[in-house]
Amino acid sequence: MKVIICGAGQVGYGIAERLSQEDNDVAVIDTSASLVTHITETLDVRGYVGHGAHPDVLARAGADQADMLIAVTLYDEINMTACQVAHSLFNVPTKIARIRSQNYLLPEYSDLFSRDNLPIDVTISPEIEVGKMVLRRISFPGATDIVRFADDHIAMLAIECMEDCPVVDTPLNQLSDLFPDLMATVCAIWRNGKLLVARSQDHLQVGDLAYVICQKDHARRTLGLFGHEEQEAARIVIAGGGNIGHYVARTIGHMSPKTRLKIIENDRDRALSVSDQLPDAIVLHGSALDQNILHQADIQDADLMVTLTNNDQTNILSAAMAKRLGCKSGMALINSPSFHDIAGSIGIDAYINPRAVTISRVLQHVRKGRIRAVYAVQKGKAEVIEAEALETSPLVGKSFRDLELPPGLRIGAIYRDKAVLRPSGDTRIKAKDRVVLFAAADAVRHVEQLFRVSIQYF
């Protein structure tokens, strides 16, 4: 596939890195010569210095032969114009744009991004996507990651196995016998820096991170089975009243009005605006790195500190300070991958990686076959995929015990007729089933083949 990426920042770099690893022909455009130099020296991609919406620059990057354009610059208007030019002048089939301003995404303007207006096939709103992830993590505090599939009926949970984890040293196939009515399947294990796609005879060990696919309504019970019965936070302090912080606070106010919410915002005008818009929250003007402000927010009595500013260092340090001052738990928004590995060592209980959210949305549209959703885990070492089975799929009609699935792939759940099924040896996939599975990176191509639309391969 020939792909043009407009924007060589952190998100553009991450997308280029992933697509180039899969042997796609990737060209990256950015106005910054230093960013273009860095990306071409470290990745197998072509780089072009210029404006991503200018026709001559797109032409040099090969837009006339491109299968997809992904516009992820910092400016919505550039992203939208790049997609328009790619459509009007070069007839690029698929156009994806990152749109940050919520004004463009209001329901009353839902037909703005259409073929007759602005021909953008997919819009990605990082603020909303990240905000939803933060809310999921708040709702399920025992999970280090949670993503929903199949119209919110199926969830993927990443669960850390602590010392008191009741299922440690128990063969996975015995869990099905012990809990026959629990719709949950352990699909993979992250152990000592290595990813293991689970087999029925495997055992969990202390320190493992288990990836479990389950019926959403069984998520809390699944967490309890692993020894995680943390209560949902009743007192929350949010650092950062920007788009993400405002979205999270507003949603919590609507969904959990009894939650006591305080927001710290460093910009005075923004603090006043947020205070006017969220009358049920207490808004404090000041720095989340100021201990006096943290004490004013009663951080010592808080159940959770969520740091959502646009500065990684502020997010990391303020979350760590909150823990030191008595806050029970800390969650930080961290953009830079270089900070991810140190988060836990300084007392941060969980971090949100916005780049991973955006990359996962892009991968959904890069994958061949009837792929409905993709979520990348462990820096792209694996993907959780929701795919729709077609009549032509080699999976359809065979019992699971007779399927010869490629290594590195494990099916976690099936969504059929508004019901969630846990796979067993007798299970047979039917056409139109939505299958949620875990695939190691080198098994993703097999998934595309299993759920292929035949005409794509002629």
Side-chain angles (χ1 to χ4, degrees):
M1 180 179 288
K2 296 181 183 297
V3 182
I4 296 175
I5 300 172
C6 298
Q10 289 189 357
V11 172
Y13 185 96
I15 296 170
E17 181 179 38
R18 191 61 189 276
L19 296 184
S20 63
Q21 288 171 351
E22 298 177 4
D23 297 326
N24 293 290
D25 182 351
V26 179
V28 181
I29 300 171
D30 201 285
T31 55
S32 169
S34 60
L35 287 178
V36 171
T37 298
H38 173 68
I39 202 168
T40 54
E41 288 181 347
T42 55
L43 303 178
D44 183 17
V45 302
R46 293 176 287 116
Y48 300 88
V49 178
H51 197 291
H54 287 178
D56 62 322
V57 179
L58 287 171
R60 283 195 290 122
D64 58 329
Q65 297 181 352
D67 301 296
M68 178 180 292
L69 180 132
I70 305 170
V72 288
T73 75
L74 294 175
Y75 305 101
D76 293 350
E77 291 74 19
I78 293 177
N79 295 338
M80 291 187 289
T81 304
C83 290
Q84 179 70 70
V85 173
H87 172 81
S88 300
L89 298 184
F90 301 103
N91 199 28
V92 176
T94 304
K95 299 157 290 290
I96 300 175
R98 180 168 69 166
I99 306 296
R100 306 181 72 179
S101 174
Q102 299 309 300
N103 291 326
Y104 290 119
L105 303 172
L106 294 173
E108 55 263 41
Y109 308 130
S110 59
D111 62 345
L112 174 61
F113 302 111
S114 64
R115 198 168 192 84
D116 294 332
N117 296 310
L118 276 172
I120 299 174
D121 302 287
V122 182
T123 59
I124 299 174
S125 173
E127 283 81 3
I128 296 300
E129 297 293 337
V130 171
K132 289 179 179 178
M133 177 171 283
V134 171
L135 291 165
R136 289 194 296 266
R137 300 282 283 275
I138 291 174
S139 298
F140 296 92
T144 64
D145 203 355
I146 175 168
V147 186
R148 293 176 182 174
F149 298 90
D151 299 333
D152 282 356
H153 291 282
I154 294 174
M156 186 284 295
L157 303 170
I159 312 172
E160 188 175 357
C161 298
M162 311 297 283
E163 292 283 354
D164 57 350
C165 177
V167 297
V168 163
D169 295 328
T170 303
L172 297 181
N173 55 7
Q174 287 188 19
L175 296 181
S176 301
D177 299 331
L178 293 170
F179 307 96
D181 61 336
L182 182 65
M183 294 293 179
T185 303
V186 178
C187 290
I189 303 165
W190 180 257
R191 177 182 296 160
N192 299 324
K194 294 183 179 181
L195 183 74
L196 310 172
V197 175
R199 300 165 297 176
S200 58
Q201 66 270 27
D202 286 338
H203 299 241
L204 291 169
Q205 300 177 7
V206 173
D208 284 353
L209 186 67
Y211 287 94
V212 185
I213 294 175
C214 67
Q215 183 175 329
K216 189 197 74 172
D217 293 342
H218 290 200
R220 294 194 187 280
R221 186 181 169 199
T222 301
L223 287 166
L225 175 66
F226 280 76
H228 287 278
E229 297 185 351
E230 295 91 336
Q231 297 299 309
E232 193 170 338
R235 297 180 179 88
I236 301 175
V237 178
I238 296 177
N243 289 338
I244 299 175
H246 181 270
Y247 174 82
V248 170
R250 187 182 73 240
T251 307
I252 291 174
H254 290 160
M255 303 297 292
S256 305
K258 293 184 179 179
T259 301
R260 296 175 63 180
L261 193 61
K262 297 180 180 178
I263 303 169
I264 300 172
E265 170 55 46
N266 199 37
D267 182 272
R268 178 177 173 79
D269 292 338
R270 181 64 182 176
L272 290 172
S273 174
V274 172
S275 181
D276 290 339
Q277 296 176 56
L278 303 174
D280 295 330
I282 296 174
V283 181
L284 302 172
H285 170 229
S287 171
L289 296 175
D290 186 336
Q291 290 195 29
N292 291 327
I293 292 292
L294 291 175
H295 283 303
Q296 288 181 42
D298 296 321
I299 198 67
Q300 69 278 1
D301 299 322
D303 299 312
L304 175 65
M305 171 76 158
V306 186
T307 56
L308 302 173
T309 78
N310 58 8
N311 185 286
D312 283 354
Q313 290 90 332
T314 298
N315 292 339
I316 292 169
L317 291 174
S318 58
M321 285 176 59
K323 286 290 296 290
R324 188 176 294 273
L325 293 173
C327 183
K328 293 183 178 65
S329 182
M331 183 189 305
L333 180 71
I334 305 177
N335 285 278
S336 175
S338 60
F339 291 135
H340 293 165
D341 294 335
I342 67 170
S345 64
I346 61 175
I348 297 174
D349 300 282
Y351 69 85
I352 304 294
N353 179 3
R355 189 171 78 162
V357 176
T358 304
I359 293 172
S360 294
R361 283 293 312 280
V362 170
L363 288 176
Q364 174 184 344
H365 302 280
V366 171
R367 298 283 171 251
K368 297 182 179 69
R370 194 61 65 88
I371 306 300
R372 299 180 68 104
V374 173
Y375 184 72
V377 302
Q378 294 297 342
K379 301 178 181 178
K381 289 184 173 59
E383 294 176 13
V384 186
I385 298 173
E386 177 191 342
E388 181 179 344
L390 304 177
E391 290 282 1
T392 55
S393 170
L395 297 176
V396 169
K398 297 180 182 178
S399 64
F400 266 51
R401 62 169 52 91
D402 295 328
L403 288 178
E404 296 183 4
L405 294 177
L409 190 156
R410 185 171 173 88
I411 295 174
I414 299 167
Y415 184 62
R416 176 191 300 162
D417 299 328
K418 299 182 179 181
V420 177
L421 309 177
R422 183 179 66 181
S424 67
D426 296 325
T427 302
R428 296 175 186 268
I429 293 177
K430 297 181 179 180
K432 298 185 179 180
D433 281 354
R434 289 158 71 172
V435 181
V436 180
L437 54 88
F438 194 100
D442 55 3
V444 168
R445 292 301 183 196
H446 295 296
V447 176
E448 293 179 321
Q449 290 287 337
L450 291 172
F451 296 93
R452 66 186 179 270
V453 180
S454 298
I455 196 170
Q456 290 181 315
Y457 292 86
F458 291 152

